[in-house]
């Protein structure tokens, strides 16, 4: 940043270093003496992969690091209003949090109390911080909900967090963060896992609030493409160090560091379809890999492919309580029909609530369909008795979105992989199953030593590899991937997409790839289905859908993509 920026800095971070104690003898340097400034009324983006030190930096600034195993090294400074926030008393720091400096966390359901209404939680901020009366707090809470775009705020103020969508929960968190009109807003991955349209709404909301209220902002993200929508300055971190910092224009048009160039290039491009996506290490080696040098992968259907699964008029309704004695019908999936070709990928795209996941769960009989058929080898999967369906469960598997929730934390990886083999009588014995499990671990890029470890010892990307390996124990014909790469770093996402491509090439598996990430869908899919409000509104070849969308909803989805993703 320029000298003028530094003299007008609202917050100055100087030589910040944070260590985490792993055990009695091992210490991890999470942040290694970094320095940057946050100018007044400006937005700074802190960008990097998981483990780069972004969130540790933000937590250190607010004194929220876990005291039992995290320490800030002497000499570190976070200067605000002439004071080093790392040296003031806990009481002084508490008086600043939420008033002068506020933070919006990544996962709103972990930050909002599930047993209190939205109005109560907003009111608590106002009564405790600004000494509002209850009546004043309610009036102000309604104004805040209206400002952050919550529909029908007079109704929603009495709602519990679980009654709101993910985007609405994040809006409530933003309302709580700006309630006391802070001078600095720290937003830690506030759009991760959200639909493209909701993500765009949240970005526009935060940017509008920042301009109207003349706040400074620190926006933390792992996706460099997002920051062009919201930031003035960019700080790129890796392994606790700053690799590059500068204006958004300089970072996007002339990045100096190879790591910055890698972050920009790891996302699936819309303009071409390389046979494999380059990952971070490809750009850091000499000479670096050029995406243009990687041969392209052909996609699309010729019309004469063997059909492995045919879905006809699939429907699902849920019945919700409406008052004391009444129920109302909610049609989650309406008259869905499509065909899945052998060895091909069908992309399913749409916003949250469009019916994508419900459709996938019906195909693996985790939801009971209200109507329709799913023909597999000429037999209807949905009407089979359980004993007959067991043999078919092996052949259609699903990888869920959240690897933290889908792996049993009490099982080792070996137990997780061997259990389905025992259920389906795969392998001649324990030794045979163990050998197959170790072989599959290697196939998904994990060492054999992973066999004895527990899920909590792995990163999110590694856990997703374990989930994929578990599915592969069944040697399925069809693999349903339900948002399985949506919340991962761009480089980890590229690794998993490459892995799925390799598995498809080797086993001729068919994929149903469910995602709200339009760039990923175009890269992976031969055919795309666009879903809205439970209906398939558009079907076509992936290239045709993206170059010539016919339905207004499809055009809306494509228009919500960040500009940097479109190049």
């Amino acid at each position: 940043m320029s000298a003028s920026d530094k003299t007008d800095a609202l917050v100055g971070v100087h030589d910040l270093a944070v260590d985490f104690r792993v055990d009695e003898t091992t210490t991890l340097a999470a942040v290694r003496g970094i320095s940057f400034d946050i100018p007044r009324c400006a937005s700074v983006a802190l960008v990097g992969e998981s483990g780069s030190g972004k969130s540790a930096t933000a937590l250190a600034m607010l004194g929220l690091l876990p005291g039992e195993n995290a320490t800030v090294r002497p000499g570190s400074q976070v200067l605000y209003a002439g004071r080093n926030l790392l040296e003031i008393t806990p009481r002084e720091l508490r008086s600043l949090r939420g008033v002068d400096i506020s933070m919006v966390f990544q996962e709103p359901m972990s930050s909002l109390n599930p047993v209190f209404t939205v109005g109560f939680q907003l009111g608590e901020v106002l009564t405790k911080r600004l000494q509002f009366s209850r009546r004043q707090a309610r009036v102000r809470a309604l104004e805040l909900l209206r400002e952050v775009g919550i529909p029908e705020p007079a109704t929603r103020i009495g709602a519990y967090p679980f009654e709101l969508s993910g985007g609405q929960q994040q809006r409530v968190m933003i309302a709580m963060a700006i309630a006391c009109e802070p001078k600095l807003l720290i937003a830690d991955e506030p759009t991760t896992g959200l639909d493209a349209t909701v993500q765009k709404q949240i970005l526009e909301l935060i940017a509008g609030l920042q301009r109207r209220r003349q706040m400074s902002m620190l926006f933390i993200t792992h996706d460099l493409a997002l920051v062009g929508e919201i930031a003035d300055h960019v700080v790129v971190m890796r392994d606790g160090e700053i690799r590059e910092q500068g204006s958004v224009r300089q970072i996007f048009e002339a990045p100096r560091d190879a790591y910055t160039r890698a972050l920009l290039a790891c996302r699936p491009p819309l303009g071409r379809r390389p046979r494999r996506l380059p990952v971070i290490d490809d750009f850091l080696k000499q000479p670096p890999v050029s995406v243009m040098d990687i041969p392209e992968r052909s996609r699309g259907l010729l019309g004469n492919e063997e059909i492995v699964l045919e879905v006809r008029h699939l429907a699902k309704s849920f019945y919700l309580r409406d008052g004391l004695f009444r129920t109302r019908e909610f049609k989650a999936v309406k008259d869905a029909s499509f065909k899945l070709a052998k060895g091909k990928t069908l992309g399913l795209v749409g916003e949250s609530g469009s019916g994508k996941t419900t459709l996938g769960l019906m195909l693996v009989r985790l939801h009971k369909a209200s109507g329709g058929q799913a023909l597999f080898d000429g037999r209807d999967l949905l009407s089979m008795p359980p004993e007959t369906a067991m043999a078919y469960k092996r052949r259609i598997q699903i990888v869920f979105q959240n690897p933290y929730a889908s792996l049993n934390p009490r099982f080792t990886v070996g137990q997780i992989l061997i259990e389905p083999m025992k259920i389906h009588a795969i392998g001649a014995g324990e030794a045979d199953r163990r050998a197959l499990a170790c072989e599959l671990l290697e196939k998904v890029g994990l060492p054999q030593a992973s066999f004895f470890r527990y899920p909590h010892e792995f990163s999110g990307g590694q856990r997703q590899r374990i989930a994929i390996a578990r599915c592969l124990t069944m040697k399925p014909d069809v693999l349903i991937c339900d948002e399985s790469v949506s919340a991962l770093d761009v480089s980890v996402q590229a690794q998993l997409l490459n892995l799925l491509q390799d598995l498809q090439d080797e086993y001729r598996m068919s994929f149903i790839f469910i995602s709200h990430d339009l760039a990923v869908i175009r890269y992976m899919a031969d055919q795309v289905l666009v879903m809205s409000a439970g209906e398939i509104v558009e079907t076509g070849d992936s290239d045709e859908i993206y170059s010539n969308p016919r339905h207004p909803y499809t055009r809306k989805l494509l228009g919500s993509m960040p500009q940097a993703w479109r190049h």
Side-chain angles (χ1 to χ4, degrees):
M1 296 178 192
S2 65
S4 61
D5 288 333
K6 291 182 182 294
T7 57
D8 196 33
L10 176 73
V11 175
V13 177
H14 304 297
D15 300 317
L16 177 63
V18 178
D19 295 324
F20 283 89
R21 189 179 69 254
V22 179
D23 53 40
E24 293 182 357
T25 60
T26 309
T27 299
L28 172 68
V31 182
R32 306 166 184 253
I34 66 171
S35 300
F36 64 93
D37 290 309
I38 305 174
R40 298 180 188 276
C41 307
S43 299
V44 176
L46 199 56
V47 184
E49 297 173 283
S50 296
S52 62
K54 311 183 302 295
S55 293
T57 298
L59 294 174
M61 292 170 64
L62 284 173
L64 295 175
L65 288 169
E68 64 275 9
N69 69 333
T71 56
V72 178
R73 289 186 208 166
S76 301
Q77 291 184 318
V78 177
L79 301 178
Y80 171 74
R83 294 185 292 174
N84 183 3
L85 300 185
L86 304 177
E87 295 178 350
I88 63 177
T89 65
R91 183 175 181 177
E92 290 175 307
L93 197 53
R94 282 195 299 270
S95 69
L96 285 174
R97 291 193 204 117
V99 180
D100 288 60
I101 304 174
S102 283
M103 188 164 181
V104 179
F105 294 93
Q106 175 176 350
E107 179 46 65
M109 273 307 287
S110 299
S111 305
L112 293 171
N113 193 320
V115 302
F116 291 119
T117 65
V118 165
F120 178 87
Q121 295 182 65
L122 260 174
E124 188 177 36
V125 174
L126 296 164
T127 54
K128 289 194 173 182
R129 291 295 191 177
L130 302 181
Q131 284 72 53
F132 278 26
S133 68
R134 289 187 180 181
R135 182 180 179 84
Q136 289 173 320
R138 179 178 173 82
V139 172
R140 181 62 182 139
L142 286 169
E143 292 175 354
L144 288 165
L145 292 176
R146 194 172 294 113
E147 185 174 5
V148 298
I150 293 288
E152 301 176 356
T155 302
R156 297 294 186 182
I157 197 170
Y160 290 90
F162 65 85
E163 297 180 284
L164 305 179
S165 69
Q168 289 171 339
Q169 292 168 7
Q170 199 60 282
R171 288 171 187 268
V172 171
M173 286 298 302
I174 293 168
M176 293 173 66
I178 65 171
C180 300
E181 301 189 358
K183 296 179 177 64
L184 172 64
L185 178 66
I186 300 175
D188 186 7
E189 301 272 12
T191 62
T192 296
L194 297 179
D195 304 327
T197 51
V198 178
Q199 179 177 258
K200 184 177 182 180
Q201 292 167 11
I202 296 295
L203 289 175
E204 289 176 345
L205 168 64
I206 293 175
L209 290 170
Q210 189 258 332
R211 287 193 301 269
R212 288 196 303 274
R213 292 171 171 262
Q214 296 293 292
M215 292 186 298
S216 297
M217 182 167 63
L218 181 63
F219 188 87
I220 299 171
T221 181
H222 65 259
D223 193 341
L224 187 54
L226 281 183
V227 306
E229 307 287 308
I230 199 167
D232 303 302
H233 309 277
V234 181
V235 179
V236 181
M237 289 187 68
R238 191 188 195 203
D239 296 333
E241 299 176 326
I242 291 178
R243 298 294 295 257
E244 183 170 2
Q245 58 180 306
S247 69
V248 166
R249 182 172 181 178
Q250 181 260 305
I251 293 293
F252 276 88
E253 294 183 0
R256 295 185 295 269
D257 192 86
Y259 179 66
T260 309
R261 293 193 292 271
L263 285 179
L264 284 168
C266 278
R267 281 197 60 82
L270 284 180
R272 64 193 314 272
R273 198 179 278 112
R275 178 162 289 276
R276 63 176 296 278
L277 290 169
V279 297
I280 297 292
D281 290 343
D282 292 329
F283 291 93
L284 299 184
K285 64 185 181 184
Q286 293 297 328
V289 167
S290 170
V291 181
M292 302 305 293
D293 294 337
I294 302 174
E296 289 204 56
R297 179 183 293 273
S298 61
R299 285 291 189 198
L301 301 176
L302 298 176
N304 58 353
E305 290 85 3
E306 176 187 350
I307 300 301
V308 65
L309 177 68
E310 182 176 359
V311 172
R312 297 177 181 173
H313 309 295
L314 193 60
K316 176 64 180 176
S317 292
F318 293 98
Y319 293 90
L320 310 175
R321 186 177 295 279
D322 187 9
L324 191 59
F325 301 108
R326 293 174 302 175
T327 59
R328 60 185 175 88
E329 181 183 14
F330 171 67
K331 295 183 178 181
V333 177
K334 311 170 189 174
D335 195 29
S337 299
F338 60 86
K339 295 178 181 179
L340 176 63
K342 187 170 181 60
K344 297 292 184 178
T345 301
L346 178 72
L348 203 53
V349 67
E351 297 172 287
S352 293
S354 62
K356 309 185 304 293
T357 296
T358 302
L359 191 154
L361 293 176
M362 282 191 285
L363 295 178
V364 291
R365 292 169 61 105
L366 292 177
H367 276 329
K368 186 176 181 180
S370 303
Q373 296 177 306
L375 301 177
F376 188 80
D377 280 351
R379 299 196 62 180
D380 182 14
L381 291 172
L382 308 182
S383 62
M384 290 179 182
E387 58 273 14
T388 306
M390 181 61 76
Y392 287 88
K393 284 184 178 180
R394 287 183 52 176
R395 302 176 63 186
I396 300 184
Q397 291 287 303
I398 186 168
V399 181
F400 295 99
Q401 176 176 359
N402 187 351
Y404 297 87
S406 60
L407 300 177
N408 191 328
R410 296 179 181 273
F411 278 17
T412 64
V413 170
Q415 290 171 307
I416 288 169
L417 297 183
I418 286 175
E419 184 189 36
M421 296 190 224
K422 287 182 176 178
I423 292 172
H424 291 276
I426 295 172
E430 193 69 21
D432 195 21
R433 294 181 187 121
R434 180 168 173 171
L436 177 58
C438 291
E439 179 186 333
L440 289 173
L441 285 173
E442 287 191 356
K443 193 171 287 294
V444 299
L446 292 173
Q448 289 193 14
S450 305
F451 186 92
F452 302 100
R453 296 166 63 188
Y454 288 87
H456 72 268
E457 300 180 71
F458 296 87
S459 69
Q462 289 171 326
R463 293 186 210 196
Q464 205 61 287
R465 290 171 182 265
I466 295 167
I468 293 170
R470 179 175 59 184
C471 290
L472 293 179
T473 61
M474 302 289 99
K475 299 182 180 177
D477 297 296
V478 176
L479 186 63
I480 301 171
C481 298
D482 184 12
E483 301 279 11
S484 50
V485 299
S486 62
L488 301 177
D489 295 330
V490 288
S491 184
V492 178
Q493 182 185 84
Q495 292 170 15
L496 278 177
L497 293 178
N498 288 336
L499 168 63
L500 290 170
Q501 298 275 22
D502 293 342
L503 294 172
Q504 188 173 52
D505 291 342
E506 182 175 353
Y507 296 115
R508 285 200 72 208
M509 279 192 295
S510 302
F511 292 155
I512 297 178
F513 206 91
I514 301 171
S515 181
H516 62 256
D517 190 322
L518 296 158
V520 168
I521 285 287
R522 185 189 183 279
Y523 177 74
M524 290 293 294
D526 298 284
Q527 185 182 23
V528 176
L529 305 184
V530 182
M531 290 193 73
S532 175
E535 295 183 277
I536 296 174
V537 297
E538 187 164 359
T539 306
D541 178 274
S542 58
D543 289 336
E544 178 65 20
I545 289 279
Y546 281 76
S547 61
N548 186 31
R550 299 185 302 274
H551 197 276
Y553 179 73
T554 310
R555 292 195 289 270
K556 174 190 170 186
L557 286 178
L558 292 171
S560 299
M561 298 175 66
Q563 290 291 330
W565 290 9
R566 307 183 195 185
H567 303 298

